[in-house]
Amino acid sequence: MFTFSPLQGALSESAASQSILELDGGIKILVGVGWDESFDVAKLKELEKQVPTLSLILLTHATTEHIAAFAHCCKHFPLFTRIPVYATSPIIGLGRTLLQDLYASTPAAATTIPSDALDGVSYSDHDASSDFLLQPPTAEEIATYFSLIHPLKYSQPHQPLGSPFSPPLNGLTITAYNSGHTLGGTIWHIQHGLESIVYAVDWNQARENVYAGAAWLGGAGGGGAEVIEQLRKPTALICSSRGGEKPSLSGGRTKRDEQLLEKVRACVAKGGTVLIPTDSSARVLELAYLLEHAWRVDSSSGDGKLKAAKLYLAGRNAHSVMRYARSMLEWMDDSIVREFETVADGSRKNTADGTKHGKDTGPFDFRFLRLLDRKGQVDKVVSHEGDGQTRTGKVIIASDASLEWGFSKQILKQLAQDPINMVVLTEYPPLASASRPSLARTLWTWWRDRQGNATEEGAASPQEIDFIDAQKQALEANELVRYQQWLAQQRQLQTTLQGGGVATLEAPGDVGDDASESSSESEDSEDEQQGRALNAATTLGQVGRKKAALTDEDLGVNILLKKKGAYDFDVKDKKGRDRMFPHPVRRKRADEYGDLIRPEDFLRAEEREEGGGLDTDQVGKGTHHDNLGKKRKWDDIAASNRNKGPHGNKRPALTRAVSDEVPVASPDGGADDELDAIPEDPDDAVNGPSKLVLATEKVTVRLQIDFVDFAGIHDKRSLHMLIPLIRPRKLILVGGSSEETMTLASDCKKLIAESSIAIFTPAIGKTVNASVDTNAWVVKLAPSLVKQLKWQSVRGLSIATVTGRLLALQRQLAGDGEGDSANKRVKTEETQTKEPAEAPVEPTLDVVPTSMASATRSVAKPLHVGDPRLADLRKAMQQSGHTAEFRGEGTLLIDGSVMVRKTATGRIEVESIGLPMGGPANQIAGTFYAVKRTIYDNLAVVAGA
């Protein structure tokens, strides 16, 4: 069984991607945790309901459309962090920097508390609606969440472990393949029983400057005419339809790159500034590599126009992204690897000769691209216009592509009113909200209208656009009281649901419970679970109260703990936990290394004496000499901790961020010293409860707007070519607008015979059944037939061929012969009047009679079962005393005379050089037959006779 349900991104203009795959046995897989720039928490409601039933999570790309909601779910959804997550190493590293950049750039990403959740804590004379912000995940918490992800490599079959509340996975296997589009982008192949599912969203078959093409035809350098065997003929293919109406660009990648460079040259030649908005972790690598190498080529020529212009990359985690890129060259295209090897070989030669011909630079060792990670640096670059004589052209790559957050929004606001400047959109902007389109969507709409009206360049009239600035503001007076009451209500609800466990809504500094006792997982009965659900429902129903208090009936046996003066409880006719004396189970904070400890408890005496001899945890309320030697009280210690001065903690604090942003020096030494001298951005963030305040400003836009497609998404030609080659039994189209999805579905029906494929176009929240079309029957084998079976073992599987005669035999009832003790109590007269029940009939395979054996023997044909690997063949031949080595991809040379190849379809080809018999020919023939014998030994030859 296989059902598919898209949670986001189906038949929608929004690019966010979330999907639920449910397999036989109740196994649920979440693929993608995407979000859009609206940060609407209502779009995650369905995902929150599914969390307790999920078995594992798969991530596909390190972009906001596929991973933006990951930290939010880990922070605010209980049990989400207990679900195993799988992704490639680049997605883990670049996804972490992306979300750290997102939450540091806009407070809107933290999302607001829904107004209906505040109804129960609102005063009668106050409006229940609010913009109270939830606590956003910190940089340290984001790093912790991504450290829990299990890294995988391409083409590495893996049997994952399910979540603690997941049913058995029963041999589920997942395999990641390169999808192109982003670094570490993944096409997932999921194998479970008879189901073979390929999940391919936002892939790109074409090779680019940095990213290799998708692995459909063998990946980089594959060049095959057929899809690789592992991805061919799946029972279900889940494919994105985005770009299904986009025609392919004549000239390919070279033409696309030249279009961008021509627009950049034309603008910087006039002294203008070009803004290129992009994401901060994925497509930014393609643009940075292209422009850096264009500047290198231009600087070597005599009449280059780019030589005098400045090139910048603005992003809060730009240094971290580039450091990750330098360490992940093996995940990029082969041309990047060859370029790096050429630079490394040149450096070694220069070192050996003792001469220096200038410092060689690798693919991502920038000579012209300057990284900006501070707001002050960006302001200085944009506001600097030269000394009054001539303006210096600038090109700024900035995040984010939506222009709703990040440095790109700030730069656009400062460049908008100068007609000499230009913004070049590199991706088709999705529409997250029809009532409030993003800035990038508005600019793209203006560009499309100007293209349709054939407006000449520079002749467009100025237009106004609304810049909405999101800011955090601390709560005051009644707002703070309402927030505290809401927080108390949530803690009470969690206490009820968890049976007295520690609340999880507290701030990180308040959740420490070092005096708590360790305990194992509680095994609650079904009645207890139902009781907890009823308690939660009762609490939620009391929205009219000022505080979320529980009645005596709701508390049950917990009244002995929570109510003063209660010393007795009647357990008669009670069920579940109400029949047992209550015991509050407190969990001790621990990680994979054991119990968490407090470093302050292990300070040395000299460390405690620093700063006036005050200890952070050992000083009570009275610090005068009268208290020396006296017994301290816990309340006094807590009060002293609250009244500490700035020197309360004598342990040196770690001020470096978790992102490890180590500044990378410019190789040519030409970086502006004045930019390096700009201090770090002041930390003016509001600590504690806050609300979201939106300020709208109208800005007149006079700058030039242009568009060059650098999205790196499959186009119409790629979809029409590859889907018929993949030949899926079921095709599910998601990840595109309604027009794109329906157009691609109709095209696929024309390209593929309708009877051979079923095409589904589900909407958001709808479930489609795409189970494999097989007919399975249960047949019993007769004991006489089982004795004659000859089993063969192939990779841990036992295989045998069965030839028998199908008979309809009556099943023997379990109670026959012995009788049942319960049946003996039935009256004799009742048994005499009751007619005997007919035994059910079950199909049974029995031995073929001798008269029919000769007829069946001629029909059965031998069958070879197995999939021999060249690596195993090489090892076996070397153990037999032969020389075996790989020569090229998929080719094994044995004894220099026998060549073994494995084609993309899984076919094994063995070739030998032809020599006359006698002399060395006998040795060659021996090698040839030894190779064939070893191959057959790894196969199960199942004969039907």
Side-chain angles (χ1 to χ4, degrees), residues 13-146:
E13 286 283 351
S14 175
S17 177
Q18 290 180 14
S19 302
I20 294 287
L21 285 67
E22 185 173 0
L23 303 175
D24 195 15
I27 302 173
K28 285 189 177 182
I29 304 175
L30 172 65
V31 186
V33 199
W35 220 355
D36 50 41
E37 63 272 11
S38 66
F39 304 114
D40 186 3
V41 72
K43 297 182 178 180
L44 303 179
K45 284 294 184 182
E46 185 61 31
L47 174 58
E48 185 177 7
K49 297 177 183 177
Q50 297 285 347
V51 167
T53 64
L54 294 179
S55 300
L56 66 147
I57 300 173
L58 305 179
L59 303 179
T60 53
H61 297 283
T63 59
T64 55
E65 294 85 2
H66 297 271
I67 205 174
F70 179 71
H72 177 89
C73 295
C74 292
K75 176 78 173 180
H76 301 290
F77 293 174
L79 305 177
F80 194 86
T81 54
R82 303 182 64 184
I83 305 173
V85 186
Y86 295 89
T88 57
S89 297
I91 292 180
I92 298 174
L94 297 177
R96 178 171 70 90
T97 60
L98 169 66
L99 293 192
Q100 288 176 342
D101 185 14
L102 171 63
Y103 282 96
S105 299
T106 173
T111 70
T112 58
I113 301 174
S115 58
D116 55 353
L118 294 170
D119 291 342
V121 296
S122 298
Y123 295 105
S124 59
D125 56 344
H126 286 80
D127 187 9
S129 62
S130 71
D131 291 322
F132 295 171
L133 287 172
L134 293 170
Q135 285 293 330
T138 62
E140 291 80 6
E141 290 176 334
I142 293 175
T144 302
Y145 300 150
F146 277 89

Side-chain angles (χ1 to χ4, degrees), residues 70 108 132 176 180 182 200 297 418 463 609 699 714 741 753:
F70 179 71
F132 295 171
T182 63
V297 173
D418 194 343
Q463 294 176 281
E609 292 174 358
V699 177
H714 45 63
T741 304

Side-chain angles (χ1 to χ4, degrees), residues 563-576:
K563 188 173 181 180
K564 294 182 179 180
Y567 304 102
D568 193 12
F569 183 77
D570 187 9
V571 299
K572 186 178 181 181
D573 298 331
K574 294 294 190 298
K575 296 181 179 180

Side-chain angles (χ1 to χ4, degrees), residues 810-811 813 816 828-840:
Q810 290 185 346
R811 182 185 303 172
L813 297 178
D816 291 351
T828 308
E829 56 270 13
E830 293 181 359
T831 57
Q832 292 177 353
T833 57
K834 187 180 298 183
E835 297 181 359
E838 295 184 1

